Amino acid sequence: PSAEGYIDQYYSGDTKKKFKKRFKKMAGENIVILEDNFEDIELLFKFNIEQFKNGPIQSMFDREYRKEIFRDFLKKYENFYARMLTFVVNGEKQAVSLALVYKDNYASINTGLCAEPIWNLKEYIHLKKFEDAIGLGCKVFDAFVRDYGWKEKWGFHKIPQYEWHYPSKEEKQH
């Protein structure tokens, strides 16, 4: 299965045509994807900080200890491994995406884009992450928390970063 197959299976009509048209246009760009070039973790930090510097939400990398946690993800672990994709457009690195793979789960944990990425690069990155997860044999794609304005478009449901559940009377009795 491929990302194209994902689009074919889960979308129809105008939405499907729109995605296919966009990705066909992106395929015409000179884009190279580097896999597991872990030196680019610093570029992910830089891009991510730049993305959020003028917005209402700050980058999670505004604190050094968080950078250190992400650097630790790149080490070899028995139960999971890091997966990094670097998107090079016309010879220039424009985005870096980091995921963790655990069994058949692909957890997309963070992405950083340069200040002026090419048109539609964000959607292209999502598609390529789906394709990467499928290629690695993953059955679950975890897009994590927060609404960054793209998840519903891809068929994901919003989940809160924090959730509290107060048990009903029936649940309390059991």
Side-chain angles (χ1 to χ4, degrees), residues 16 28 45 52 63 67 84 122 129 153 155 160:
K16 183 176 179 175
F45 299 153
F52 292 99
R63 295 181 183 96
K67 292 179 184 177
M84 182 176 283
K122 286 181 186 179
K129 288 191 297 186
K153 189 183 328 184

Side-chain angles (χ1 to χ4, degrees), residues 102-117:
Y102 174 74
K103 297 185 180 181
D104 61 356
N105 292 272
Y106 190 101
S108 177
I109 59 172
N110 214 302
T111 299
L113 281 87
C114 68
E116 295 183 20

Side-chain angles (χ1 to χ4, degrees), residues 46-47 50-51 53 92-94 112-118:
K46 178 183 174 227
F47 286 164
E50 286 175 6
Q51 276 179 267
K53 71 179 175 188
E92 180 184 335
K93 292 179 181 179
Q94 290 204 355
L113 281 87
C114 68
E116 295 183 20
I118 62 166

Side-chain angles (χ1 to χ4, degrees), residues 9 30 36 54 73 84 88 98 121 131 156 170 172:
Q9 184 175 356
N30 184 15
D36 298 332
N54 296 322
F73 284 150
M84 182 176 283
V88 182
L98 182 64
L121 185 59
E131 195 169 77
F156 291 99
E170 294 81 27
K172 285 182 184 179

Side-chain angles (χ1 to χ4, degrees), residues 98-100 104-110 129-130 133 138-145 150-151 156 159:
L98 182 64
L100 298 177
D104 61 356
N105 292 272
Y106 190 101
S108 177
I109 59 172
N110 214 302
K129 288 191 297 186
F130 300 153
C138 295
K139 292 177 176 51
V140 175
F141 186 93
D142 187 342
F144 268 52
V145 296
W150 66 270
K151 294 178 184 178
F156 291 99
I159 59 170

Side-chain angles (χ1 to χ4, degrees), residues 124-139:
Y124 186 76
I125 290 170
H126 297 311
L127 180 75
K128 290 302 179 180
K129 288 191 297 186
F130 300 153
E131 195 169 77
D132 190 45
I134 291 166
L136 294 172
C138 295
K139 292 177 176 51

Side-chain angles (χ1 to χ4, degrees), residues 44-111:
L44 184 149
F45 299 153
K46 178 183 174 227
F47 286 164
N48 191 273
I49 290 168
E50 286 175 6
Q51 276 179 267
F52 292 99
K53 71 179 175 188
N54 296 322
I57 301 170
Q58 287 186 312
S59 168
M60 71 177 305
F61 301 119
D62 61 349
R63 295 181 183 96
E64 188 60 36
Y65 78 91
R66 290 181 177 163
K67 292 179 184 177
E68 210 46 51
I69 292 168
F70 274 66
R71 288 182 191 109
D72 282 349
F73 284 150
L74 304 180
K75 296 176 182 175
K76 300 282 184 206
Y77 290 93
E78 186 177 326
N79 296 327
F80 71 90
Y81 62 93
R83 181 65 165 168
M84 182 176 283
L85 301 177
T86 302
F87 294 81
V88 182
V89 182
N90 297 320
E92 180 184 335
K93 292 179 181 179
Q94 290 204 355
V96 181
S97 177
L98 182 64
L100 298 177
V101 179
Y102 174 74
K103 297 185 180 181
D104 61 356
N105 292 272
Y106 190 101
S108 177
I109 59 172
N110 214 302
T111 299

